[in-house]
Amino acid sequence: MPVPASRPPRRYDLLGAPFDGGSTLGWPGSRYAPARVRQAMEWILQRRENGEVYCLDHAAVHPFPDDLLEDRGDVHVIGHDLEATLASAADAVAGSVRAGRSPILLGGDDSLLYPAARGLAEATDGTVAIVHFDAHLDLLDENEHQGRYSHSSGMRRSCELPNVEVSRSVQVGSRHFNFPSSLRFRESRGLRNIPAAEVHRRGAEAVIADVVEHLSGADRVLLAFDIDTIDPAHAPGAGAHEPGGLTSHQALEAVRSLAPYVDALVLTEVNPLTDVRDQTANLAAYLIAHHVIHGRIAA
């Protein structure tokens, strides 16, 4: 997927969204994630020296200027009003994009996928493709128990946005069982799915190369990463546990490789109430750090 060579080095905004009002299933508690992940980020950021950081994975020193990652605080959350909170998050994402920066929306539950997509889509005249890492499809339309904007509907609502290019979007890491109606929607819209079993079989490197090629033609890319993509053995602090997921190594490799192509990131469903010694919050902090450091210069 070609990225304009003239694009200046990216700068990132971190936007917390301490909200889990869309968690109608699984375990609530992801409202506490932004604070816990920020705390874990401090462990990483203290390794900067003179505007640089040393990446052991590639034996390379990377620029990390003071303004590379700016913490903009939390978006305005209205605890009793799901739709107002989603609108607030979308406005914050759009504002970051219009300011020429790359937003990172840190949830919170996965209803926040939709405002991240909406904010990016509203702030650009071009098309948007979504790379959706999740154990689940999140293509539920509406039902009595969950309504239209729950953590099970974020991708469905995003696919309805007029400039989201569904046929260029792809879901990665799904597994086990889902609604037959979600399959029918996927097939009708040309939404590609790469289950976790395929990632294990082919390897993360080959799958991500395939994803990058699939994105080709879209003007902007949203990376939506639900932490339950990762196997609960590696990420126990999640809203739901689905065995057979990606390893932490596969997840980090995927985020590093995709980072140069991504214009906005939403990371959701870290749940400190089910975490073990901040293992999952720490992994989420590293996902963000690799996204920022390896995505600074466009591919």
Side-chain angles (χ1 to χ4, degrees), residues 225 227 230 251-252 255 267 282-292:
F225 199 103
I227 206 71
I230 303 170
L252 288 162
V255 168
L267 195 157
N282 187 58
L283 175 54
Y286 273 102
L287 290 170
I288 292 171
H290 281 279
H291 171 71
V292 167

Side-chain angles (χ1 to χ4, degrees), residues 37 138 243:
V37 175
D138 291 358

Side-chain angles (χ1 to χ4, degrees), residues 61-138:
V61 174
H62 293 270
F64 204 131
D66 290 341
D67 66 344
L68 179 58
L69 177 62
E70 296 279 359
D71 192 336
R72 304 295 183 181
D74 291 338
V75 304
H76 183 53
V77 166
I78 305 94
H80 68 89
D81 195 328
L82 169 62
E83 293 187 42
T85 297
L86 299 186
S88 173
D91 289 344
V93 169
S96 175
V97 175
R98 291 185 180 117
R101 298 180 66 86
S102 181
I104 299 168
L105 184 62
L106 175 60
D109 71 60
D110 209 16
S111 65
L112 293 157
L113 190 166
Y114 170 62
R118 176 178 152 187
L120 179 59
E122 290 179 350
T124 181
D125 294 328
T127 57
V128 173
I130 302 172
V131 185
H132 180 210
F133 279 77
D134 202 317
H136 312 101
L137 298 178
D138 291 358

Side-chain angles (χ1 to χ4, degrees), residues 145-200:
H145 182 58
Q146 294 188 275
R148 288 182 58 79
Y149 294 98
S150 76
H151 63 162
S152 297
S153 302
M155 191 62 178
R156 178 65 172 257
R157 299 284 83 84
S158 298
C159 289
E160 295 169 350
L161 293 165
N163 56 335
V164 166
E165 197 166 4
V166 181
S167 62
R168 293 290 183 189
S169 299
V170 58
Q171 298 182 293
V172 183
S174 55
R175 50 199 187 270
H176 305 314
F177 308 104
N178 215 281
F179 304 103
S181 57
S182 295
L183 172 61
R184 291 193 293 271
F185 177 83
R186 274 190 46 234
E187 291 178 337
S188 70
R189 297 296 304 274
L191 176 60
R192 187 173 178 190
N193 180 264
I194 302 175
E198 185 174 341
V199 179
H200 294 314

